[in-house]
Structure formats: structure tokens, C-alpha cells
Amino acid sequence: MHRGFTLLDGGQAAIDVPVAIDGEGVLVGAEDLARATGWVLKPEGLCRNDVCVPLRDPDVVTPDGHVDLARFAAALRRPLALDAEESAAFLGTAATDRAEPLRNLEAPDFTLPDLDGRMHSLHEHRGKKILLVAYASW
């Protein structure tokens, strides 16, 4: 059975694609998946621009060339929120992609006293993991 399905890929615009529901799986045509996400099915795997991800799970692609949406997300290591009854799916950003900007952020330097009144500056701890506890009375 084919029906319309709304697919959201990260911060991209929502794209309506035809899908087939096969038991628990939502199957989308390879061309429609490429239109919605930019990932193209090639002999070497799923490719977008100059990045290709090999498909280690043979069930990602069905014999007739459809792509199982949940297995596609797992192959890319991206979270997927899927609601077949509402005909919608959201493909989240991979954890590694979300973590990269955080790894490069640097907090501004500041100096505060500890409980004994000794001053500590953040720059003294660069390159180390530290825990800052903040309290507000409001």
C-alpha cells in the first residue's frame, strides 16, 4: 500500500514522499529518499556529496529497491522519530554532528573565589574537564 508521508530531515524543509508500509517497516523509494534527504543509493552504499556510508545491514534496501527508513537511519547513526499512523518521520542529526560544535566552544575566562576565599580563574583549568555549580536565589 502506497501513501503520502511527510519526511523531515534535521533542519531541512518537510518533504512529502510516497511510502509503502510493510509490517513494522516504512519503505521509501530510493529516488524519493534522495530527493528528501540528499542521500543517494549507489553500489558503494549511501552517498551524499563526497561522503559514502557502506551498508553493512543487507535489509536496508529491499530487493525491489526501496529503503527501510528505520534501517536507513541506523546505518547513518541518526535518531529517527517515526509515526506511521500520522504518516510522518523526523530524521535527527547524528550525535557526532551535534557534538562537534560543542567540542570547539570555549567559555569566556572569569575569576571567582572558592569557599575559602582563594581566587580561581577558568583559564587555569583549560584542557581539563571541570564542573561548575551555579546557584541563583530567584
Side-chain angles (χ1 to χ4, degrees):
M1 167 174 87
H2 288 276
R3 65 180 187 188
F5 208 85
T6 302
L7 180 59
L8 296 112
D9 182 7
Q12 307 290 332
I15 303 287
D16 290 326
V17 295
V19 301
I21 307 295
D22 179 27
E24 295 290 317
V26 175
L27 306 176
V28 61
E31 301 81 22
D32 292 317
L33 184 70
R35 181 172 54 86
T37 66
W39 287 96
V40 178
L41 187 59
K42 294 184 177 181
E44 55 267 33
L46 290 164
C47 301
R48 183 164 66 181
N49 300 326
D50 59 348
V51 174
C52 286
V53 176
L55 297 177
R56 303 201 193 294
D57 178 359
D59 294 329
V60 172
V61 182
T62 64
D64 64 354
H66 283 82
V67 178
D68 181 293
L69 206 50
R71 292 177 185 273
F72 163 76
L76 296 178
R77 296 184 179 183
R78 295 176 66 182
L80 177 69
L82 178 65
D83 191 334
E85 288 182 22
E86 294 297 325
S87 300
F90 179 83
L91 186 62
T93 305
T96 53
D97 293 340
R98 289 190 313 270
E100 185 60 32
L102 295 176
R103 226 177 276 130
N104 297 327
L105 292 178
E106 191 172 289
D109 192 32
F110 58 87
T111 303
L112 293 171
D114 63 16
L115 295 175
D116 296 323
R118 193 172 58 131
M119 301 301 282
H120 296 274
S121 294
L122 187 60
H123 75 269
E124 297 168 353
H125 305 284
R126 290 277 184 234
K128 302 177 197 169
K129 292 184 179 182
I130 60 170
L131 172 66
L132 298 176
V133 178
Y135 172 78
S137 60
W138 63 86

